[in-house]
Amino acid sequence: MVLEKRDFDAIVVGSGPNGLAAAILMQQKGLSVLLIEGKEMIGGGLRSTELTLPGYIHDICSAIHPLAVASPFFETLPLDEHGLEYIFPTIAAAHPFDNGSAAIIKTSIEETAGLLGADEHAYKKLMQPVVNDWPGIAPDVLGPLHYPKHPLAMARFGFTALTSAAHLVKRFETVEARGLIGGMAAHSIQPLTNAATSAVALVLMAQAHLKGWPVPKGGSVSIANALASYFLSLGGKIETNFYVSSMDQLPSAHSVLFDVTPKQLLQIAGHRFSAVYKWQLERYRYGMGVFKIDWALEAPIPFTAPGCREAGTVHIGNTFEEIAVTEQQCWEGKTVEKPFVLLTQSSLFDTTRAPKGKHTAWAYCHVPNGSQTDMTDAIEKQVARFAPGFRERILARHTFNAAQMEEYNPNYIGGDINGGVIDIGQLFTRPALRWSPYKTSAKGIYICSSSTPPGGGVHGMCGYHAAKRALKDVFDIV
C-alpha cells in the first residue's frame, strides 16, 4: 500500500501501558511512531515518586501487577533487558477476619485450598480448570468479543465468569473462602450482585496460581521505563509536556491512536465523528471513584494474622456480606463508615522503596464518583481493625480524593481508575457498540485506552488490539 508522505505514520496520544503497547507494536512493524504524553513523566498509571518523605518511593496509581506478567503481549517483549525486574511475594494476597485469622492465596492451589477447611474440594474444583485452561484462553479473555480459538475452554470459563460474585460464593460454606472471593471480586469496582463480577475474581486468582502477583523493583514506573526504553530502541520518538486538547495540535499522520477515555476523545476529536458515534460516546458510563492513601511507616504494618504480614496485597473488608453491603452503598452514592480497602506493602519485598528499616504502604477504598470526601480516618480505622497499633507507626501520609485523582490523571474520570464501568453492558462493547470497539467513525482515528476491551489493568492489551486494527485498516499489515 502506497501512502502519501506524512510527518509520522502513527501518533499515539497518552503514554499509559496501553499507549506504550500500541506504540511498540506499530514501531515493531517498521512504521514511524510518535508517542505523546501530556505530563513531564511518561507512564499514566505507572508512575512512582516521593509523595511523603525523602527516600520513600510510592506508586502513585497501580502498585501490584498480576496482569502485567500475564499479558500475552508484554510477555513477548524483552523488558528484562531494559531494566524491569519483578519481585514475587510468597503470598499473593491475604484477607483478614475479625477473629484474627486470614484466608491467603499462594502459588499452589493445593496449599491455598488446604487452608480453607470444608471448602478445600470446592476451591480446587473452581480454580483448577481455570488455571489449566488459562494459557489457551488468555488472548480471548484479554481481547475484544470474537469467536475464540478454544471455544470449549472459553465456554467453560464463561459459564462461571459471567455470573455474579454473589452467585459464585454459594459454592462455598466457610467464611474464609467466601471472604476471599469477595475481596477478589471487589476489584471490579461495582456491586457484587452484578453479572460478570466473578470474572475479575477468577482471573486474579488464576494469576496468583500461575505466575503470582509481582512487585516491580523500584516502583511501577519501572514497567513504564522498560516499555519506553524498548520503544526508543526500535526507533520510536517520545514527546512529553505536550497536552493534546485538539487535533489541530498534532503533526500529520496516517493514523492517530488515543489512550484516553470517551470524555476526552469527544473534546479532542468529536467534531470529526458521526452523530451516532458521538451519541454512543456521550452515553458511556463511568463508575465509582477511589480515595487513595500512601504512608511512610516507622515499621511494617502489625497485622494480627501472620499471613497478612507476608502478603504483597491485603484485602480489608472482613466477610463477603460486609464487603457486598458497603460496595452496594458506595455504588448508590453513599459514603460508608467501614469501606472495603485494598492495601499493598511493597517495601516488605523491595528494599529500594524506603530507607533501611523503614517501610511504605499504599491503600485505597471505593467512593462515589467525583467524591471529595476525606476517607483517611475511615481507611486507617479499617487497617487498625486488623492491625492494632498501625496508626502509631505512621510517619507521614499523602492522600488523593477522587476529584484529585482525575486532576492528576485525566483518564480517571471522577476517580474511576478502570476507564469506565466494566459491567455486562460495557464488558465487550466499550466504549461503543461497533464491529471493532477500537475504531472510531472517523478515518484513521482509534481509541486504545482501558475504555476498550478488555478494560482496566496493566496489561497493554487494549493498546495492542487497537494497534492491530489500525495496522490492518490503514497500512494493510496483518
mmCIF file with all atom_site columns, all heavy atoms in Angstrom, residues 290-293 335-339 365-368 371-381 399-401:
data_model
loop_
_atom_site.group_PDB
_atom_site.id
_atom_site.type_symbol
_atom_site.label_atom_id
_atom_site.label_alt_id
_atom_site.label_comp_id
_atom_site.label_asym_id
_atom_site.label_entity_id
_atom_site.label_seq_id
_atom_site.pdbx_PDB_ins_code
_atom_site.Cartn_x
_atom_site.Cartn_y
_atom_site.Cartn_z
_atom_site.occupancy
_atom_site.B_iso_or_equiv
_atom_site.pdbx_formal_charge
_atom_site.auth_seq_id
_atom_site.auth_comp_id
_atom_site.auth_asym_id
_atom_site.auth_atom_id
_atom_site.pdbx_PDB_model_num
ATOM 1   N N   . VAL A 1 290 ? -12.060 6.397  43.545 1.00 0.00 ? 290 VAL A N   1
ATOM 2   C CA  . VAL A 1 290 ? -11.276 5.869  44.659 1.00 0.00 ? 290 VAL A CA  1
ATOM 3   C C   . VAL A 1 290 ? -10.716 7.020  45.486 1.00 0.00 ? 290 VAL A C   1
ATOM 4   O O   . VAL A 1 290 ? -10.498 8.125  44.981 1.00 0.00 ? 290 VAL A O   1
ATOM 5   C CB  . VAL A 1 290 ? -10.107 4.968  44.185 1.00 0.00 ? 290 VAL A CB  1
ATOM 6   C CG1 . VAL A 1 290 ? -10.626 3.798  43.369 1.00 0.00 ? 290 VAL A CG1 1
ATOM 7   C CG2 . VAL A 1 290 ? -9.062  5.749  43.402 1.00 0.00 ? 290 VAL A CG2 1
ATOM 8   N N   . PHE A 1 291 ? -10.501 6.727  46.761 1.00 0.00 ? 291 PHE A N   1
ATOM 9   C CA  . PHE A 1 291 ? -9.754  7.616  47.655 1.00 0.00 ? 291 PHE A CA  1
ATOM 10  C C   . PHE A 1 291 ? -8.497  6.852  48.036 1.00 0.00 ? 291 PHE A C   1
ATOM 11  O O   . PHE A 1 291 ? -8.578  5.724  48.512 1.00 0.00 ? 291 PHE A O   1
ATOM 12  C CB  . PHE A 1 291 ? -10.553 7.963  48.911 1.00 0.00 ? 291 PHE A CB  1
ATOM 13  C CG  . PHE A 1 291 ? -9.820  8.903  49.842 1.00 0.00 ? 291 PHE A CG  1
ATOM 14  C CD1 . PHE A 1 291 ? -10.066 10.263 49.787 1.00 0.00 ? 291 PHE A CD1 1
ATOM 15  C CD2 . PHE A 1 291 ? -8.880  8.424  50.750 1.00 0.00 ? 291 PHE A CD2 1
ATOM 16  C CE1 . PHE A 1 291 ? -9.383  11.146 50.629 1.00 0.00 ? 291 PHE A CE1 1
ATOM 17  C CE2 . PHE A 1 291 ? -8.191  9.295  51.591 1.00 0.00 ? 291 PHE A CE2 1
ATOM 18  C CZ  . PHE A 1 291 ? -8.439  10.653 51.527 1.00 0.00 ? 291 PHE A CZ  1
ATOM 19  N N   . LYS A 1 292 ? -7.332  7.453  47.811 1.00 0.00 ? 292 LYS A N   1
ATOM 20  C CA  . LYS A 1 292 ? -6.064  6.726  47.963 1.00 0.00 ? 292 LYS A CA  1
ATOM 21  C C   . LYS A 1 292 ? -5.173  7.381  49.012 1.00 0.00 ? 292 LYS A C   1
ATOM 22  O O   . LYS A 1 292 ? -5.107  8.610  49.112 1.00 0.00 ? 292 LYS A O   1
ATOM 23  C CB  . LYS A 1 292 ? -5.333  6.674  46.619 1.00 0.00 ? 292 LYS A CB  1
ATOM 24  C CG  . LYS A 1 292 ? -3.983  5.989  46.668 1.00 0.00 ? 292 LYS A CG  1
ATOM 25  C CD  . LYS A 1 292 ? -3.372  5.894  45.288 1.00 0.00 ? 292 LYS A CD  1
ATOM 26  C CE  . LYS A 1 292 ? -1.967  5.299  45.362 1.00 0.00 ? 292 LYS A CE  1
ATOM 27  N NZ  . LYS A 1 292 ? -0.989  6.253  45.916 1.00 0.00 ? 292 LYS A NZ  1
ATOM 28  N N   . ILE A 1 293 ? -4.479  6.532  49.777 1.00 0.00 ? 293 ILE A N   1
ATOM 29  C CA  . ILE A 1 293 ? -3.515  6.998  50.774 1.00 0.00 ? 293 ILE A CA  1
ATOM 30  C C   . ILE A 1 293 ? -2.178  6.289  50.555 1.00 0.00 ? 293 ILE A C   1
ATOM 31  O O   . ILE A 1 293 ? -2.133  5.090  50.284 1.00 0.00 ? 293 ILE A O   1
ATOM 32  C CB  . ILE A 1 293 ? -3.959  6.694  52.223 1.00 0.00 ? 293 ILE A CB  1
ATOM 33  C CG1 . ILE A 1 293 ? -5.338  7.271  52.535 1.00 0.00 ? 293 ILE A CG1 1
ATOM 34  C CG2 . ILE A 1 293 ? -2.945  7.248  53.226 1.00 0.00 ? 293 ILE A CG2 1
ATOM 35  C CD1 . ILE A 1 293 ? -5.781  7.017  53.970 1.00 0.00 ? 293 ILE A CD1 1
ATOM 36  N N   . THR A 1 335 ? -21.455 7.522  51.319 1.00 0.00 ? 335 THR A N   1
ATOM 37  C CA  . THR A 1 335 ? -20.132 7.410  51.924 1.00 0.00 ? 335 THR A CA  1
ATOM 38  C C   . THR A 1 335 ? -20.221 6.405  53.062 1.00 0.00 ? 335 THR A C   1
ATOM 39  O O   . THR A 1 335 ? -21.059 6.551  53.955 1.00 0.00 ? 335 THR A O   1
ATOM 40  C CB  . THR A 1 335 ? -19.659 8.773  52.463 1.00 0.00 ? 335 THR A CB  1
ATOM 41  O OG1 . THR A 1 335 ? -19.584 9.697  51.371 1.00 0.00 ? 335 THR A OG1 1
ATOM 42  C CG2 . THR A 1 335 ? -18.295 8.643  53.111 1.00 0.00 ? 335 THR A CG2 1
ATOM 43  N N   . VAL A 1 336 ? -19.388 5.378  53.036 1.00 0.00 ? 336 VAL A N   1
ATOM 44  C CA  . VAL A 1 336 ? -19.511 4.291  54.014 1.00 0.00 ? 336 VAL A CA  1
ATOM 45  C C   . VAL A 1 336 ? -18.513 4.457  55.150 1.00 0.00 ? 336 VAL A C   1
ATOM 46  O O   . VAL A 1 336 ? -17.416 4.993  54.968 1.00 0.00 ? 336 VAL A O   1
ATOM 47  C CB  . VAL A 1 336 ? -19.336 2.908  53.347 1.00 0.00 ? 336 VAL A CB  1
ATOM 48  C CG1 . VAL A 1 336 ? -20.413 2.688  52.306 1.00 0.00 ? 336 VAL A CG1 1
ATOM 49  C CG2 . VAL A 1 336 ? -17.965 2.772  52.722 1.00 0.00 ? 336 VAL A CG2 1
ATOM 50  N N   . GLU A 1 337 ? -18.909 3.976  56.314 1.00 0.00 ? 337 GLU A N   1
ATOM 51  C CA  . GLU A 1 337 ? -18.082 4.109  57.517 1.00 0.00 ? 337 GLU A CA  1
ATOM 52  C C   . GLU A 1 337 ? -16.950 3.094  57.551 1.00 0.00 ? 337 GLU A C   1
ATOM 53  O O   . GLU A 1 337 ? -15.845 3.385  58.019 1.00 0.00 ? 337 GLU A O   1
ATOM 54  C CB  . GLU A 1 337 ? -18.970 3.935  58.754 1.00 0.00 ? 337 GLU A CB  1
ATOM 55  C CG  . GLU A 1 337 ? -18.233 4.122  60.068 1.00 0.00 ? 337 GLU A CG  1
ATOM 56  C CD  . GLU A 1 337 ? -19.142 3.936  61.271 1.00 0.00 ? 337 GLU A CD  1
ATOM 57  O OE1 . GLU A 1 337 ? -20.379 3.984  61.096 1.00 0.00 ? 337 GLU A OE1 1
ATOM 58  O OE2 . GLU A 1 337 ? -18.615 3.745  62.377 1.00 0.00 ? 337 GLU A OE2 1
ATOM 59  N N   . LYS A 1 338 ? -17.234 1.876  57.049 1.00 0.00 ? 338 LYS A N   1
ATOM 60  C CA  . LYS A 1 338 ? -16.221 0.813  57.044 1.00 0.00 ? 338 LYS A CA  1
ATOM 61  C C   . LYS A 1 338 ? -16.018 0.318  55.617 1.00 0.00 ? 338 LYS A C   1
ATOM 62  O O   . LYS A 1 338 ? -16.534 -0.725 55.224 1.00 0.00 ? 338 LYS A O   1
ATOM 63  C CB  . LYS A 1 338 ? -16.660 -0.340 57.953 1.00 0.00 ? 338 LYS A CB  1
ATOM 64  C CG  . LYS A 1 338 ? -16.749 0.031  59.432 1.00 0.00 ? 338 LYS A CG  1
ATOM 65  C CD  . LYS A 1 338 ? -17.151 -1.175 60.269 1.00 0.00 ? 338 LYS A CD  1
ATOM 66  C CE  . LYS A 1 338 ? -17.183 -0.838 61.755 1.00 0.00 ? 338 LYS A CE  1
ATOM 67  N NZ  . LYS A 1 338 ? -17.565 -2.027 62.576 1.00 0.00 ? 338 LYS A NZ  1
ATOM 68  N N   . PRO A 1 339 ? -15.261 1.070  54.821 1.00 0.00 ? 339 PRO A N   1
ATOM 69  C CA  . PRO A 1 339 ? -15.101 0.721  53.412 1.00 0.00 ? 339 PRO A CA  1
ATOM 70  C C   . PRO A 1 339 ? -14.235 -0.509 53.207 1.00 0.00 ? 339 PRO A C   1
ATOM 71  O O   . PRO A 1 339 ? -13.406 -0.857 54.060 1.00 0.00 ? 339 PRO A O   1
ATOM 72  C CB  . PRO A 1 339 ? -14.412 1.954  52.836 1.00 0.00 ? 339 PRO A CB  1
ATOM 73  C CG  . PRO A 1 339 ? -13.605 2.482  53.986 1.00 0.00 ? 339 PRO A CG  1
ATOM 74  C CD  . PRO A 1 339 ? -14.472 2.259  55.195 1.00 0.00 ? 339 PRO A CD  1
ATOM 75  N N   . CYS A 1 365 ? -9.808  2.980  48.867 1.00 0.00 ? 365 CYS A N   1
ATOM 76  C CA  . CYS A 1 365 ? -11.160 2.456  49.009 1.00 0.00 ? 365 CYS A CA  1
ATOM 77  C C   . CYS A 1 365 ? -12.015 3.073  47.924 1.00 0.00 ? 365 CYS A C   1
ATOM 78  O O   . CYS A 1 365 ? -11.647 4.085  47.315 1.00 0.00 ? 365 CYS A O   1
ATOM 79  C CB  . CYS A 1 365 ? -11.740 2.754  50.392 1.00 0.00 ? 365 CYS A CB  1
ATOM 80  S SG  . CYS A 1 365 ? -12.188 4.489  50.656 1.00 0.00 ? 365 CYS A SG  1
ATOM 81  N N   . HIS A 1 366 ? -13.128 2.470  47.647 1.00 0.00 ? 366 HIS A N   1
ATOM 82  C CA  . HIS A 1 366 ? -14.047 2.996  46.642 1.00 0.00 ? 366 HIS A CA  1
ATOM 83  C C   . HIS A 1 366 ? -14.939 4.070  47.257 1.00 0.00 ? 366 HIS A C   1
ATOM 84  O O   . HIS A 1 366 ? -15.331 3.975  48.428 1.00 0.00 ? 366 HIS A O   1
ATOM 85  C CB  . HIS A 1 366 ? -14.902 1.860  46.073 1.00 0.00 ? 366 HIS A CB  1
ATOM 86  C CG  . HIS A 1 366 ? -14.086 0.772  45.462 1.00 0.00 ? 366 HIS A CG  1
ATOM 87  N ND1 . HIS A 1 366 ? -14.445 -0.559 45.491 1.00 0.00 ? 366 HIS A ND1 1
ATOM 88  C CD2 . HIS A 1 366 ? -12.898 0.818  44.810 1.00 0.00 ? 366 HIS A CD2 1
ATOM 89  C CE1 . HIS A 1 366 ? -13.525 -1.277 44.890 1.00 0.00 ? 366 HIS A CE1 1
ATOM 90  N NE2 . HIS A 1 366 ? -12.577 -0.467 44.469 1.00 0.00 ? 366 HIS A NE2 1
ATOM 91  N N   . VAL A 1 367 ? -15.249 5.071  46.453 1.00 0.00 ? 367 VAL A N   1
ATOM 92  C CA  . VAL A 1 367 ? -16.101 6.184  46.882 1.00 0.00 ? 367 VAL A CA  1
ATOM 93  C C   . VAL A 1 367 ? -17.012 6.554  45.714 1.00 0.00 ? 367 VAL A C   1
ATOM 94  O O   . VAL A 1 367 ? -16.754 6.164  44.572 1.00 0.00 ? 367 VAL A O   1
ATOM 95  C CB  . VAL A 1 367 ? -15.265 7.425  47.302 1.00 0.00 ? 367 VAL A CB  1
ATOM 96  C CG1 . VAL A 1 367 ? -14.445 7.149  48.540 1.00 0.00 ? 367 VAL A CG1 1
ATOM 97  C CG2 . VAL A 1 367 ? -14.369 7.880  46.152 1.00 0.00 ? 367 VAL A CG2 1
ATOM 98  N N   . PRO A 1 368 ? -18.077 7.305  45.962 1.00 0.00 ? 368 PRO A N   1
ATOM 99  C CA  . PRO A 1 368 ? -18.911 7.763  44.848 1.00 0.00 ? 368 PRO A CA  1
ATOM 100 C C   . PRO A 1 368 ? -18.090 8.559  43.842 1.00 0.00 ? 368 PRO A C   1
ATOM 101 O O   . PRO A 1 368 ? -17.151 9.270  44.215 1.00 0.00 ? 368 PRO A O   1
ATOM 102 C CB  . PRO A 1 368 ? -19.964 8.634  45.541 1.00 0.00 ? 368 PRO A CB  1
ATOM 103 C CG  . PRO A 1 368 ? -20.065 8.061  46.931 1.00 0.00 ? 368 PRO A CG  1
ATOM 104 C CD  . PRO A 1 368 ? -18.659 7.675  47.275 1.00 0.00 ? 368 PRO A CD  1
ATOM 105 N N   . SER A 1 371 ? -16.242 12.108 44.316 1.00 0.00 ? 371 SER A N   1
ATOM 106 C CA  . SER A 1 371 ? -16.300 12.465 45.739 1.00 0.00 ? 371 SER A CA  1
ATOM 107 C C   . SER A 1 371 ? -15.063 13.230 46.196 1.00 0.00 ? 371 SER A C   1
ATOM 108 O O   . SER A 1 371 ? -13.942 12.915 45.811 1.00 0.00 ? 371 SER A O   1
ATOM 109 C CB  . SER A 1 371 ? -16.441 11.197 46.586 1.00 0.00 ? 371 SER A CB  1
ATOM 110 O OG  . SER A 1 371 ? -16.305 11.496 47.967 1.00 0.00 ? 371 SER A OG  1
ATOM 111 N N   . GLN A 1 372 ? -15.283 14.234 47.034 1.00 0.00 ? 372 GLN A N   1
ATOM 112 C CA  . GLN A 1 372 ? -14.181 14.971 47.649 1.00 0.00 ? 372 GLN A CA  1
ATOM 113 C C   . GLN A 1 372 ? -14.098 14.682 49.143 1.00 0.00 ? 372 GLN A C   1
ATOM 114 O O   . GLN A 1 372 ? -13.371 15.352 49.882 1.00 0.00 ? 372 GLN A O   1
ATOM 115 C CB  . GLN A 1 372 ? -14.348 16.465 47.394 1.00 0.00 ? 372 GLN A CB  1
ATOM 116 C CG  . GLN A 1 372 ? -14.275 16.830 45.912 1.00 0.00 ? 372 GLN A CG  1
ATOM 117 C CD  . GLN A 1 372 ? -14.258 18.323 45.667 1.00 0.00 ? 372 GLN A CD  1
ATOM 118 O OE1 . GLN A 1 372 ? -13.616 19.079 46.398 1.00 0.00 ? 372 GLN A OE1 1
ATOM 119 N NE2 . GLN A 1 372 ? -14.970 18.776 44.644 1.00 0.00 ? 372 GLN A NE2 1
ATOM 120 N N   . THR A 1 373 ? -14.830 13.668 49.584 1.00 0.00 ? 373 THR A N   1
ATOM 121 C CA  . THR A 1 373 ? -14.828 13.286 50.996 1.00 0.00 ? 373 THR A CA  1
ATOM 122 C C   . THR A 1 373 ? -13.459 12.739 51.401 1.00 0.00 ? 373 THR A C   1
ATOM 123 O O   . THR A 1 373 ? -12.862 11.952 50.675 1.00 0.00 ? 373 THR A O   1
ATOM 124 C CB  . THR A 1 373 ? -15.894 12.213 51.268 1.00 0.00 ? 373 THR A CB  1
ATOM 125 O OG1 . THR A 1 373 ? -17.174 12.731 50.904 1.00 0.00 ? 373 THR A OG1 1
ATOM 126 C CG2 . THR A 1 373 ? -15.907 11.809 52.738 1.00 0.00 ? 373 THR A CG2 1
ATOM 127 N N   . ASP A 1 374 ? -12.984 13.158 52.546 1.00 0.00 ? 374 ASP A N   1
ATOM 128 C CA  . ASP A 1 374 ? -11.705 12.670 53.079 1.00 0.00 ? 374 ASP A CA  1
ATOM 129 C C   . ASP A 1 374 ? -11.956 11.351 53.810 1.00 0.00 ? 374 ASP A C   1
ATOM 130 O O   . ASP A 1 374 ? -12.606 11.326 54.853 1.00 0.00 ? 374 ASP A O   1
ATOM 131 C CB  . ASP A 1 374 ? -11.115 13.711 54.032 1.00 0.00 ? 374 ASP A CB  1
ATOM 132 C CG  . ASP A 1 374 ? -9.721  13.351 54.516 1.00 0.00 ? 374 ASP A CG  1
ATOM 133 O OD1 . ASP A 1 374 ? -9.311  12.176 54.383 1.00 0.00 ? 374 ASP A OD1 1
ATOM 134 O OD2 . ASP A 1 374 ? -9.025  14.246 55.037 1.00 0.00 ? 374 ASP A OD2 1
ATOM 135 N N   . MET A 1 375 ? -11.434 10.261 53.244 1.00 0.00 ? 375 MET A N   1
ATOM 136 C CA  . MET A 1 375 ? -11.649 8.930  53.824 1.00 0.00 ? 375 MET A CA  1
ATOM 137 C C   . MET A 1 375 ? -10.452 8.449  54.645 1.00 0.00 ? 375 MET A C   1
ATOM 138 O O   . MET A 1 375 ? -10.361 7.268  54.989 1.00 0.00 ? 375 MET A O   1
ATOM 139 C CB  . MET A 1 375 ? -11.931 7.936  52.701 1.00 0.00 ? 375 MET A CB  1
ATOM 140 C CG  . MET A 1 375 ? -13.198 8.212  51.912 1.00 0.00 ? 375 MET A CG  1
ATOM 141 S SD  . MET A 1 375 ? -14.697 8.031  52.918 1.00 0.00 ? 375 MET A SD  1
ATOM 142 C CE  . MET A 1 375 ? -14.749 6.245  53.125 1.00 0.00 ? 375 MET A CE  1
ATOM 143 N N   . THR A 1 376 ? -9.551  9.365  54.973 1.00 0.00 ? 376 THR A N   1
ATOM 144 C CA  . THR A 1 376 ? -8.334  8.977  55.707 1.00 0.00 ? 376 THR A CA  1
ATOM 145 C C   . THR A 1 376 ? -8.653  8.235  56.997 1.00 0.00 ? 376 THR A C   1
ATOM 146 O O   . THR A 1 376 ? -8.133  7.147  57.254 1.00 0.00 ? 376 THR A O   1
ATOM 147 C CB  . THR A 1 376 ? -7.478  10.221 56.028 1.00 0.00 ? 376 THR A CB  1
ATOM 148 O OG1 . THR A 1 376 ? -7.129  10.870 54.820 1.00 0.00 ? 376 THR A OG1 1
ATOM 149 C CG2 . THR A 1 376 ? -6.226  9.824  56.790 1.00 0.00 ? 376 THR A CG2 1
ATOM 150 N N   . ASP A 1 377 ? -9.508  8.826  57.822 1.00 0.00 ? 377 ASP A N   1
ATOM 151 C CA  . ASP A 1 377 ? -9.815  8.222  59.123 1.00 0.00 ? 377 ASP A CA  1
ATOM 152 C C   . ASP A 1 377 ? -10.500 6.866  58.950 1.00 0.00 ? 377 ASP A C   1
ATOM 153 O O   . ASP A 1 377 ? -10.165 5.903  59.644 1.00 0.00 ? 377 ASP A O   1
ATOM 154 C CB  . ASP A 1 377 ? -10.706 9.165  59.930 1.00 0.00 ? 377 ASP A CB  1
ATOM 155 C CG  . ASP A 1 377 ? -10.884 8.682  61.365 1.00 0.00 ? 377 ASP A CG  1
ATOM 156 O OD1 . ASP A 1 377 ? -9.868  8.488  62.052 1.00 0.00 ? 377 ASP A OD1 1
ATOM 157 O OD2 . ASP A 1 377 ? -12.049 8.497  61.785 1.00 0.00 ? 377 ASP A OD2 1
ATOM 158 N N   . ALA A 1 378 ? -11.433 6.787  58.000 1.00 0.00 ? 378 ALA A N   1
ATOM 159 C CA  . ALA A 1 378 ? -12.159 5.530  57.782 1.00 0.00 ? 378 ALA A CA  1
ATOM 160 C C   . ALA A 1 378 ? -11.213 4.423  57.322 1.00 0.00 ? 378 ALA A C   1
ATOM 161 O O   . ALA A 1 378 ? -11.293 3.271  57.801 1.00 0.00 ? 378 ALA A O   1
ATOM 162 C CB  . ALA A 1 378 ? -13.265 5.741  56.745 1.00 0.00 ? 378 ALA A CB  1
ATOM 163 N N   . ILE A 1 379 ? -10.304 4.741  56.412 1.00 0.00 ? 379 ILE A N   1
ATOM 164 C CA  . ILE A 1 379 ? -9.359  3.731  55.922 1.00 0.00 ? 379 ILE A CA  1
ATOM 165 C C   . ILE A 1 379 ? -8.409  3.305  57.030 1.00 0.00 ? 379 ILE A C   1
ATOM 166 O O   . ILE A 1 379 ? -8.161  2.103  57.230 1.00 0.00 ? 379 ILE A O   1
ATOM 167 C CB  . ILE A 1 379 ? -8.576  4.274  54.712 1.00 0.00 ? 379 ILE A CB  1
ATOM 168 C CG1 . ILE A 1 379 ? -9.493  4.385  53.495 1.00 0.00 ? 379 ILE A CG1 1
ATOM 169 C CG2 . ILE A 1 379 ? -7.375  3.388  54.395 1.00 0.00 ? 379 ILE A CG2 1
ATOM 170 C CD1 . ILE A 1 379 ? -8.822  4.995  52.269 1.00 0.00 ? 379 ILE A CD1 1
ATOM 171 N N   . GLU A 1 380 ? -7.871  4.262  57.760 1.00 0.00 ? 380 GLU A N   1
ATOM 172 C CA  . GLU A 1 380 ? -6.906  3.913  58.804 1.00 0.00 ? 380 GLU A CA  1
ATOM 173 C C   . GLU A 1 380 ? -7.554  3.121  59.938 1.00 0.00 ? 380 GLU A C   1
ATOM 174 O O   . GLU A 1 380 ? -6.926  2.233  60.525 1.00 0.00 ? 380 GLU A O   1
ATOM 175 C CB  . GLU A 1 380 ? -6.220  5.180  59.317 1.00 0.00 ? 380 GLU A CB  1
ATOM 176 C CG  . GLU A 1 380 ? -5.302  5.791  58.256 1.00 0.00 ? 380 GLU A CG  1
ATOM 177 C CD  . GLU A 1 380 ? -4.521  6.996  58.741 1.00 0.00 ? 380 GLU A CD  1
ATOM 178 O OE1 . GLU A 1 380 ? -4.747  7.443  59.894 1.00 0.00 ? 380 GLU A OE1 1
ATOM 179 O OE2 . GLU A 1 380 ? -3.681  7.503  57.973 1.00 0.00 ? 380 GLU A OE2 1
ATOM 180 N N   . LYS A 1 381 ? -8.808  3.398  60.239 1.00 0.00 ? 381 LYS A N   1
ATOM 181 C CA  . LYS A 1 381 ? -9.514  2.597  61.238 1.00 0.00 ? 381 LYS A CA  1
ATOM 182 C C   . LYS A 1 381 ? -9.708  1.167  60.750 1.00 0.00 ? 381 LYS A C   1
ATOM 183 O O   . LYS A 1 381 ? -9.624  0.210  61.526 1.00 0.00 ? 381 LYS A O   1
ATOM 184 C CB  . LYS A 1 381 ? -10.864 3.232  61.557 1.00 0.00 ? 381 LYS A CB  1
ATOM 185 C CG  . LYS A 1 381 ? -10.794 4.434  62.487 1.00 0.00 ? 381 LYS A CG  1
ATOM 186 C CD  . LYS A 1 381 ? -12.180 4.994  62.769 1.00 0.00 ? 381 LYS A CD  1
ATOM 187 C CE  . LYS A 1 381 ? -12.108 6.152  63.747 1.00 0.00 ? 381 LYS A CE  1
ATOM 188 N NZ  . LYS A 1 381 ? -13.450 6.776  63.987 1.00 0.00 ? 381 LYS A NZ  1
ATOM 189 N N   . THR A 1 399 ? -2.517  11.890 50.510 1.00 0.00 ? 399 THR A N   1
ATOM 190 C CA  . THR A 1 399 ? -3.826  11.415 50.071 1.00 0.00 ? 399 THR A CA  1
ATOM 191 C C   . THR A 1 399 ? -4.235  12.032 48.731 1.00 0.00 ? 399 THR A C   1
ATOM 192 O O   . THR A 1 399 ? -3.798  13.123 48.375 1.00 0.00 ? 399 THR A O   1
ATOM 193 C CB  . THR A 1 399 ? -4.919  11.741 51.109 1.00 0.00 ? 399 THR A CB  1
ATOM 194 O OG1 . THR A 1 399 ? -5.085  13.166 51.194 1.00 0.00 ? 399 THR A OG1 1
ATOM 195 C CG2 . THR A 1 399 ? -4.566  11.178 52.478 1.00 0.00 ? 399 THR A CG2 1
ATOM 196 N N   . PHE A 1 400 ? -5.067  11.276 48.025 1.00 0.00 ? 400 PHE A N   1
ATOM 197 C CA  . PHE A 1 400 ? -5.746  11.744 46.817 1.00 0.00 ? 400 PHE A CA  1
ATOM 198 C C   . PHE A 1 400 ? -7.228  11.433 46.999 1.00 0.00 ? 400 PHE A C   1
ATOM 199 O O   . PHE A 1 400 ? -7.592  10.263 47.195 1.00 0.00 ? 400 PHE A O   1
ATOM 200 C CB  . PHE A 1 400 ? -5.295  10.963 45.578 1.00 0.00 ? 400 PHE A CB  1
ATOM 201 C CG  . PHE A 1 400 ? -4.034  11.435 44.919 1.00 0.00 ? 400 PHE A CG  1
ATOM 202 C CD1 . PHE A 1 400 ? -2.923  10.610 44.865 1.00 0.00 ? 400 PHE A CD1 1
ATOM 203 C CD2 . PHE A 1 400 ? -3.973  12.676 44.295 1.00 0.00 ? 400 PHE A CD2 1
ATOM 204 C CE1 . PHE A 1 400 ? -1.769  11.010 44.217 1.00 0.00 ? 400 PHE A CE1 1
ATOM 205 C CE2 . PHE A 1 400 ? -2.814  13.086 43.643 1.00 0.00 ? 400 PHE A CE2 1
ATOM 206 C CZ  . PHE A 1 400 ? -1.707  12.250 43.619 1.00 0.00 ? 400 PHE A CZ  1
ATOM 207 N N   . ASN A 1 401 ? -8.123  12.438 46.934 1.00 0.00 ? 401 ASN A N   1
ATOM 208 C CA  . ASN A 1 401 ? -9.536  12.094 46.860 1.00 0.00 ? 401 ASN A CA  1
ATOM 209 C C   . ASN A 1 401 ? -9.876  11.823 45.394 1.00 0.00 ? 401 ASN A C   1
ATOM 210 O O   . ASN A 1 401 ? -9.023  11.952 44.508 1.00 0.00 ? 401 ASN A O   1
ATOM 211 C CB  . ASN A 1 401 ? -10.424 13.182 47.487 1.00 0.00 ? 401 ASN A CB  1
ATOM 212 C CG  . ASN A 1 401 ? -10.356 14.522 46.760 1.00 0.00 ? 401 ASN A CG  1
ATOM 213 O OD1 . ASN A 1 401 ? -10.178 14.581 45.544 1.00 0.00 ? 401 ASN A OD1 1
ATOM 214 N ND2 . ASN A 1 401 ? -10.511 15.608 47.514 1.00 0.00 ? 401 ASN A ND2 1
#
